[in-house]
Structure formats: C-alpha cells, structure tokens
PDB file of all heavy atoms in Angstrom:
ATOM      1  N   ILE A   1     -11.128   6.538   5.606  1.00  0.00           N
ATOM      2  CA  ILE A   1     -10.709   5.183   5.337  1.00  0.00           C
ATOM      3  C   ILE A   1      -9.602   4.786   6.145  1.00  0.00           C
ATOM      4  O   ILE A   1      -8.448   5.400   6.172  1.00  0.00           O
ATOM      5  CB  ILE A   1     -10.328   4.936   3.712  1.00  0.00           C
ATOM      6  CG1 ILE A   1     -11.495   5.320   2.926  1.00  0.00           C
ATOM      7  CG2 ILE A   1      -9.881   3.641   3.492  1.00  0.00           C
ATOM      8  CD1 ILE A   1     -11.227   5.323   1.431  1.00  0.00           C
ATOM      9  N   ASN A   2      -9.708   3.663   6.933  1.00  0.00           N
ATOM     10  CA  ASN A   2      -8.583   3.071   7.661  1.00  0.00           C
ATOM     11  C   ASN A   2      -8.018   1.907   6.940  1.00  0.00           C
ATOM     12  O   ASN A   2      -6.969   1.757   6.636  1.00  0.00           O
ATOM     13  CB  ASN A   2      -8.953   2.598   9.176  1.00  0.00           C
ATOM     14  CG  ASN A   2      -7.862   2.243   9.874  1.00  0.00           C
ATOM     15  OD1 ASN A   2      -6.765   2.395   9.595  1.00  0.00           O
ATOM     16  ND2 ASN A   2      -8.135   1.785  11.158  1.00  0.00           N
ATOM     17  N   PHE A   3      -8.997   0.935   6.476  1.00  0.00           N
ATOM     18  CA  PHE A   3      -8.704  -0.186   5.646  1.00  0.00           C
ATOM     19  C   PHE A   3      -9.524  -0.228   4.408  1.00  0.00           C
ATOM     20  O   PHE A   3     -10.809   0.116   4.449  1.00  0.00           O
ATOM     21  CB  PHE A   3      -8.856  -1.505   6.457  1.00  0.00           C
ATOM     22  CG  PHE A   3      -7.661  -1.727   7.313  1.00  0.00           C
ATOM     23  CD1 PHE A   3      -7.410  -1.310   8.409  1.00  0.00           C
ATOM     24  CD2 PHE A   3      -6.732  -2.711   6.830  1.00  0.00           C
ATOM     25  CE1 PHE A   3      -6.358  -1.665   9.330  1.00  0.00           C
ATOM     26  CE2 PHE A   3      -5.549  -3.142   7.530  1.00  0.00           C
ATOM     27  CZ  PHE A   3      -5.378  -2.532   8.769  1.00  0.00           C
ATOM     28  N   MET A   4      -9.070  -0.584   3.329  1.00  0.00           N
ATOM     29  CA  MET A   4      -9.808  -1.034   2.209  1.00  0.00           C
ATOM     30  C   MET A   4      -9.719  -2.481   2.008  1.00  0.00           C
ATOM     31  O   MET A   4      -8.681  -3.045   2.098  1.00  0.00           O
ATOM     32  CB  MET A   4      -9.278  -0.233   1.002  1.00  0.00           C
ATOM     33  CG  MET A   4     -10.068  -0.609  -0.369  1.00  0.00           C
ATOM     34  SD  MET A   4      -9.615   0.390  -1.894  1.00  0.00           S
ATOM     35  CE  MET A   4     -10.247   1.960  -1.467  1.00  0.00           C
ATOM     36  N   GLY A   5     -10.834  -3.119   1.743  1.00  0.00           N
ATOM     37  CA  GLY A   5     -10.891  -4.547   1.601  1.00  0.00           C
ATOM     38  C   GLY A   5     -11.547  -4.986   0.378  1.00  0.00           C
ATOM     39  O   GLY A   5     -12.250  -4.226  -0.389  1.00  0.00           O
ATOM     40  N   TRP A   6     -11.310  -6.242   0.022  1.00  0.00           N
ATOM     41  CA  TRP A   6     -12.065  -6.909  -1.119  1.00  0.00           C
ATOM     42  C   TRP A   6     -12.695  -8.133  -0.525  1.00  0.00           C
ATOM     43  O   TRP A   6     -12.186  -8.969   0.098  1.00  0.00           O
ATOM     44  CB  TRP A   6     -10.960  -7.288  -2.218  1.00  0.00           C
ATOM     45  CG  TRP A   6     -10.481  -6.147  -3.010  1.00  0.00           C
ATOM     46  CD1 TRP A   6      -9.317  -5.375  -2.660  1.00  0.00           C
ATOM     47  CD2 TRP A   6     -10.973  -5.503  -4.191  1.00  0.00           C
ATOM     48  NE1 TRP A   6      -9.184  -4.435  -3.605  1.00  0.00           N
ATOM     49  CE2 TRP A   6     -10.181  -4.520  -4.517  1.00  0.00           C
ATOM     50  CE3 TRP A   6     -12.130  -5.883  -4.972  1.00  0.00           C
ATOM     51  CZ2 TRP A   6     -10.474  -3.654  -5.713  1.00  0.00           C
ATOM     52  CZ3 TRP A   6     -12.421  -4.993  -6.051  1.00  0.00           C
ATOM     53  CH2 TRP A   6     -11.534  -3.966  -6.356  1.00  0.00           C
ATOM     54  N   PHE A   7     -13.979  -8.263  -1.034  1.00  0.00           N
ATOM     55  CA  PHE A   7     -14.712  -9.486  -0.734  1.00  0.00           C
ATOM     56  C   PHE A   7     -15.249 -10.082  -2.078  1.00  0.00           C
ATOM     57  O   PHE A   7     -15.219  -9.393  -3.092  1.00  0.00           O
ATOM     58  CB  PHE A   7     -15.926  -9.056   0.135  1.00  0.00           C
ATOM     59  CG  PHE A   7     -15.629  -8.746   1.574  1.00  0.00           C
ATOM     60  CD1 PHE A   7     -15.135  -7.598   1.880  1.00  0.00           C
ATOM     61  CD2 PHE A   7     -15.868  -9.654   2.620  1.00  0.00           C
ATOM     62  CE1 PHE A   7     -14.684  -7.117   3.246  1.00  0.00           C
ATOM     63  CE2 PHE A   7     -15.563  -9.375   3.870  1.00  0.00           C
ATOM     64  CZ  PHE A   7     -14.972  -8.135   4.218  1.00  0.00           C
ATOM     65  N   ARG A   8     -15.668 -11.302  -2.039  1.00  0.00           N
ATOM     66  CA  ARG A   8     -16.218 -11.905  -3.225  1.00  0.00           C
ATOM     67  C   ARG A   8     -17.388 -12.801  -2.794  1.00  0.00           C
ATOM     68  O   ARG A   8     -17.430 -13.383  -1.678  1.00  0.00           O
ATOM     69  CB  ARG A   8     -15.072 -12.800  -3.898  1.00  0.00           C
ATOM     70  CG  ARG A   8     -14.554 -13.972  -3.220  1.00  0.00           C
ATOM     71  CD  ARG A   8     -13.403 -14.577  -3.981  1.00  0.00           C
ATOM     72  NE  ARG A   8     -12.834 -15.796  -3.337  1.00  0.00           N
ATOM     73  CZ  ARG A   8     -11.739 -16.328  -3.688  1.00  0.00           C
ATOM     74  NH1 ARG A   8     -11.082 -15.930  -4.832  1.00  0.00           N
ATOM     75  NH2 ARG A   8     -11.380 -17.465  -3.115  1.00  0.00           N
ATOM     76  N   GLN A   9     -18.392 -13.007  -3.701  1.00  0.00           N
ATOM     77  CA  GLN A   9     -19.481 -13.812  -3.491  1.00  0.00           C
ATOM     78  C   GLN A   9     -19.682 -14.693  -4.739  1.00  0.00           C
ATOM     79  O   GLN A   9     -19.979 -14.094  -5.767  1.00  0.00           O
ATOM     80  CB  GLN A   9     -20.648 -13.001  -3.238  1.00  0.00           C
ATOM     81  CG  GLN A   9     -21.916 -13.764  -2.732  1.00  0.00           C
ATOM     82  CD  GLN A   9     -22.923 -12.971  -2.117  1.00  0.00           C
ATOM     83  OE1 GLN A   9     -23.003 -11.739  -2.238  1.00  0.00           O
ATOM     84  NE2 GLN A   9     -23.708 -13.634  -1.295  1.00  0.00           N
ATOM     85  N   ALA A  10     -19.422 -16.045  -4.507  1.00  0.00           N
ATOM     86  CA  ALA A  10     -19.729 -16.953  -5.649  1.00  0.00           C
ATOM     87  C   ALA A  10     -21.277 -17.284  -5.692  1.00  0.00           C
ATOM     88  O   ALA A  10     -21.957 -17.117  -4.725  1.00  0.00           O
ATOM     89  CB  ALA A  10     -18.873 -18.160  -5.441  1.00  0.00           C
ATOM     90  N   PRO A  11     -21.747 -17.790  -6.764  1.00  0.00           N
ATOM     91  CA  PRO A  11     -23.123 -18.277  -6.842  1.00  0.00           C
ATOM     92  C   PRO A  11     -23.556 -19.221  -5.697  1.00  0.00           C
ATOM     93  O   PRO A  11     -22.825 -20.193  -5.625  1.00  0.00           O
ATOM     94  CB  PRO A  11     -23.236 -18.801  -8.210  1.00  0.00           C
ATOM     95  CG  PRO A  11     -22.228 -18.234  -9.051  1.00  0.00           C
ATOM     96  CD  PRO A  11     -21.005 -18.059  -8.058  1.00  0.00           C
ATOM     97  N   GLY A  12     -24.717 -18.929  -4.962  1.00  0.00           N
ATOM     98  CA  GLY A  12     -25.164 -19.756  -3.928  1.00  0.00           C
ATOM     99  C   GLY A  12     -24.242 -19.859  -2.646  1.00  0.00           C
ATOM    100  O   GLY A  12     -24.593 -20.673  -1.754  1.00  0.00           O
ATOM    101  N   LYS A  13     -23.205 -18.891  -2.603  1.00  0.00           N
ATOM    102  CA  LYS A  13     -22.426 -18.786  -1.448  1.00  0.00           C
ATOM    103  C   LYS A  13     -22.504 -17.427  -0.724  1.00  0.00           C
ATOM    104  O   LYS A  13     -23.020 -16.504  -1.374  1.00  0.00           O
ATOM    105  CB  LYS A  13     -21.031 -19.204  -1.712  1.00  0.00           C
ATOM    106  CG  LYS A  13     -20.800 -20.607  -2.292  1.00  0.00           C
ATOM    107  CD  LYS A  13     -19.410 -20.866  -2.480  1.00  0.00           C
ATOM    108  CE  LYS A  13     -19.181 -22.345  -2.978  1.00  0.00           C
ATOM    109  NZ  LYS A  13     -17.753 -22.639  -3.227  1.00  0.00           N
ATOM    110  N   GLY A  14     -22.090 -17.472   0.495  1.00  0.00           N
ATOM    111  CA  GLY A  14     -21.907 -16.190   1.198  1.00  0.00           C
ATOM    112  C   GLY A  14     -20.892 -15.205   0.782  1.00  0.00           C
ATOM    113  O   GLY A  14     -19.895 -15.699   0.048  1.00  0.00           O
ATOM    114  N   ARG A  15     -20.881 -14.015   1.250  1.00  0.00           N
ATOM    115  CA  ARG A  15     -19.729 -13.153   0.865  1.00  0.00           C
ATOM    116  C   ARG A  15     -18.464 -13.503   1.689  1.00  0.00           C
ATOM    117  O   ARG A  15     -18.507 -13.666   2.939  1.00  0.00           O
ATOM    118  CB  ARG A  15     -20.188 -11.676   1.209  1.00  0.00           C
ATOM    119  CG  ARG A  15     -19.326 -10.620   0.723  1.00  0.00           C
ATOM    120  CD  ARG A  15     -19.887  -9.290   0.684  1.00  0.00           C
ATOM    121  NE  ARG A  15     -21.084  -9.248  -0.232  1.00  0.00           N
ATOM    122  CZ  ARG A  15     -21.831  -8.159  -0.454  1.00  0.00           C
ATOM    123  NH1 ARG A  15     -21.405  -6.969   0.125  1.00  0.00           N
ATOM    124  NH2 ARG A  15     -22.876  -8.148  -1.242  1.00  0.00           N
ATOM    125  N   GLU A  16     -17.438 -13.673   0.983  1.00  0.00           N
ATOM    126  CA  GLU A  16     -16.081 -14.196   1.556  1.00  0.00           C
ATOM    127  C   GLU A  16     -15.084 -13.090   1.560  1.00  0.00           C
ATOM    128  O   GLU A  16     -14.826 -12.447   0.558  1.00  0.00           O
ATOM    129  CB  GLU A  16     -15.601 -15.331   0.777  1.00  0.00           C
ATOM    130  CG  GLU A  16     -14.257 -15.977   1.259  1.00  0.00           C
ATOM    131  CD  GLU A  16     -13.690 -16.922   0.216  1.00  0.00           C
ATOM    132  OE1 GLU A  16     -13.948 -16.800  -0.864  1.00  0.00           O
ATOM    133  OE2 GLU A  16     -12.888 -17.861   0.693  1.00  0.00           O
ATOM    134  N   PHE A  17     -14.271 -12.969   2.666  1.00  0.00           N
ATOM    135  CA  PHE A  17     -13.248 -11.996   2.644  1.00  0.00           C
ATOM    136  C   PHE A  17     -12.075 -12.419   1.793  1.00  0.00           C
ATOM    137  O   PHE A  17     -11.763 -13.643   1.812  1.00  0.00           O
ATOM    138  CB  PHE A  17     -12.672 -11.944   4.105  1.00  0.00           C
ATOM    139  CG  PHE A  17     -11.445 -11.054   4.218  1.00  0.00           C
ATOM    140  CD1 PHE A  17     -11.384  -9.672   4.160  1.00  0.00           C
ATOM    141  CD2 PHE A  17     -10.197 -11.795   4.556  1.00  0.00           C
ATOM    142  CE1 PHE A  17     -10.251  -9.032   4.358  1.00  0.00           C
ATOM    143  CE2 PHE A  17      -9.019 -10.992   4.628  1.00  0.00           C
ATOM    144  CZ  PHE A  17      -8.997  -9.635   4.609  1.00  0.00           C
ATOM    145  N   VAL A  18     -11.482 -11.547   1.024  1.00  0.00           N
ATOM    146  CA  VAL A  18     -10.320 -11.915   0.284  1.00  0.00           C
ATOM    147  C   VAL A  18      -9.073 -11.257   0.712  1.00  0.00           C
ATOM    148  O   VAL A  18      -8.044 -11.928   0.878  1.00  0.00           O
ATOM    149  CB  VAL A  18     -10.616 -11.436  -1.273  1.00  0.00           C
ATOM    150  CG1 VAL A  18      -9.408 -11.722  -2.141  1.00  0.00           C
ATOM    151  CG2 VAL A  18     -11.873 -12.138  -1.769  1.00  0.00           C
ATOM    152  N   ALA A  19      -9.050  -9.928   0.824  1.00  0.00           N
ATOM    153  CA  ALA A  19      -7.884  -9.230   1.238  1.00  0.00           C
ATOM    154  C   ALA A  19      -8.228  -7.817   1.769  1.00  0.00           C
ATOM    155  O   ALA A  19      -9.313  -7.268   1.572  1.00  0.00           O
ATOM    156  CB  ALA A  19      -6.919  -9.006   0.063  1.00  0.00           C
ATOM    157  N   ALA A  20      -7.327  -7.220   2.548  1.00  0.00           N
ATOM    158  CA  ALA A  20      -7.483  -5.885   3.075  1.00  0.00           C
ATOM    159  C   ALA A  20      -6.103  -5.250   3.197  1.00  0.00           C
ATOM    160  O   ALA A  20      -5.133  -5.898   3.380  1.00  0.00           O
ATOM    161  CB  ALA A  20      -8.223  -5.791   4.392  1.00  0.00           C
ATOM    162  N   ILE A  21      -6.150  -3.804   3.128  1.00  0.00           N
ATOM    163  CA  ILE A  21      -4.890  -3.028   3.238  1.00  0.00           C
ATOM    164  C   ILE A  21      -5.217  -1.790   3.989  1.00  0.00           C
ATOM    165  O   ILE A  21      -6.200  -1.187   3.760  1.00  0.00           O
ATOM    166  CB  ILE A  21      -4.371  -2.838   1.842  1.00  0.00           C
ATOM    167  CG1 ILE A  21      -3.009  -2.050   1.897  1.00  0.00           C
ATOM    168  CG2 ILE A  21      -5.325  -1.947   0.961  1.00  0.00           C
ATOM    169  CD1 ILE A  21      -2.207  -1.998   0.645  1.00  0.00           C
ATOM    170  N   SER A  22      -4.247  -1.502   4.915  1.00  0.00           N
ATOM    171  CA  SER A  22      -4.398  -0.243   5.635  1.00  0.00           C
ATOM    172  C   SER A  22      -4.118   0.901   4.702  1.00  0.00           C
ATOM    173  O   SER A  22      -3.058   0.851   3.962  1.00  0.00           O
ATOM    174  CB  SER A  22      -3.590  -0.108   6.859  1.00  0.00           C
ATOM    175  OG  SER A  22      -2.220  -0.214   6.636  1.00  0.00           O
ATOM    176  N   TRP A  23      -4.843   2.013   4.813  1.00  0.00           N
ATOM    177  CA  TRP A  23      -4.620   3.073   3.839  1.00  0.00           C
ATOM    178  C   TRP A  23      -3.436   3.816   4.096  1.00  0.00           C
ATOM    179  O   TRP A  23      -2.808   4.422   3.231  1.00  0.00           O
ATOM    180  CB  TRP A  23      -5.934   4.095   3.913  1.00  0.00           C
ATOM    181  CG  TRP A  23      -6.076   4.901   2.727  1.00  0.00           C
ATOM    182  CD1 TRP A  23      -6.020   6.275   2.573  1.00  0.00           C
ATOM    183  CD2 TRP A  23      -6.464   4.332   1.391  1.00  0.00           C
ATOM    184  NE1 TRP A  23      -6.251   6.544   1.351  1.00  0.00           N
ATOM    185  CE2 TRP A  23      -6.590   5.394   0.559  1.00  0.00           C
ATOM    186  CE3 TRP A  23      -6.760   3.150   0.937  1.00  0.00           C
ATOM    187  CZ2 TRP A  23      -6.980   5.406  -0.862  1.00  0.00           C
ATOM    188  CZ3 TRP A  23      -7.098   2.895  -0.417  1.00  0.00           C
ATOM    189  CH2 TRP A  23      -7.173   4.064  -1.233  1.00  0.00           C
ATOM    190  N   SER A  24      -3.016   3.893   5.309  1.00  0.00           N
ATOM    191  CA  SER A  24      -1.698   4.722   5.712  1.00  0.00           C
ATOM    192  C   SER A  24      -0.523   3.885   5.570  1.00  0.00           C
ATOM    193  O   SER A  24       0.315   4.111   4.637  1.00  0.00           O
ATOM    194  CB  SER A  24      -1.858   5.201   7.060  1.00  0.00           C
ATOM    195  OG  SER A  24      -1.999   4.044   8.062  1.00  0.00           O
ATOM    196  N   ALA A  25      -0.367   2.732   6.278  1.00  0.00           N
ATOM    197  CA  ALA A  25       0.979   2.065   6.324  1.00  0.00           C
ATOM    198  C   ALA A  25       1.045   0.958   5.225  1.00  0.00           C
ATOM    199  O   ALA A  25       2.087   0.492   4.935  1.00  0.00           O
ATOM    200  CB  ALA A  25       1.158   1.427   7.534  1.00  0.00           C
TER     201      ALA A  25
END
C-alpha cells in the first residue's frame, strides 16, 4: 500500500474520488 483512497458512487452516477492518504507520511 502506497496510498489508501475513498471513492463514492451515487445512484445513476459514476464513481467519484473523495480522498486519499499516503500510508507512510
């Protein structure tokens, strides 16, 4: 793992980036 991220998908919409964090720093 370099980055862990969160995405979200609302009804009828594509997958959207929400946030990401580097595992180390």
Side-chain angles (χ1 to χ4, degrees):
I1 299 177
N2 191 5
F3 276 81
M4 178 176 284
W6 289 90
F7 290 75
R8 64 187 182 186
Q9 188 163 21
K13 297 183 178 180
R15 191 164 296 186
E16 176 192 27
F17 171 77
V18 177
I21 185 168
S22 66
W23 204 246
S24 56

